Amino acid sequence: MSEIGSVSGLVVAASGLLLFGCLYNWLVSWMESNGYDEGYTALLVVIGNGVTLGVVALIDWRAALLAGWAFACSGLPMVIGGWWRHVQARRRGQDLIRRGDDATA
C-alpha cells in the first residue's frame, strides 16, 4: 500500500478535501452574491468533482479513472443542458430588450 493509501495518508487526503470544500464553498458563495456564477453552475460542479477525482487518483488512479468516466457519463448531459438553458434565457432577455418590452411587466 502506498503512503497516500495508508490510514494517515487517507486522513490527510480527507482533511485536504474538507478544507478545499470549505474554501470552494466560500468562493462559490462569493461568485453567487456577485453574479459571476450565472450560467456556470454546472462548470463549478465539474471543477469541484475534478479536484476530488485528483485526490482519489493519488490514492488509486484506476478508481479515479472509473469514477471520472462515471461522472462524465452522468454529468455531461447536465453541463450541456445548463449551458443551453443559460443561452436560451439570455437570448430571451436580449429579444425583450430589442423589442423594448418591459421584462418586469
Side-chain angles (χ1 to χ4, degrees):
M1 182 179 278
S2 67
E3 182 62 32
I4 193 71
S6 69
V7 173
S8 61
L10 292 174
V11 169
V12 169
S15 299
L17 284 172
L18 185 60
L19 177 62
F20 165 76
C22 291
L23 293 172
Y24 198 56
N25 176 62
W26 174 84
L27 175 63
V28 171
S29 177
W30 178 84
M31 290 176 73
E32 287 175 349
S33 66
N34 289 289
Y36 293 118
D37 67 318
E38 186 177 335
Y40 299 101
T41 303
L43 183 59
L44 294 171
V45 172
V46 169
I47 291 168
N49 286 339
V51 170
T52 301
L53 286 173
V55 173
V56 172
L58 295 173
I59 299 165
D60 185 342
W61 66 269
R62 293 168 300 205
L65 281 178
L66 178 61
W69 172 80
F71 277 130
C73 289
S74 65
L76 187 60
M78 182 57 90
V79 170
I80 292 170
W83 171 78
W84 182 257
R85 288 185 293 276
H86 175 68
V87 168
Q88 295 303 312
R90 190 177 64 210
R91 185 173 291 149
R92 284 190 301 273
Q94 290 169 341
D95 288 345
L96 287 172
I97 291 169
R98 277 190 215 100
R99 289 194 319 248
D101 293 349
D102 183 1
T104 60

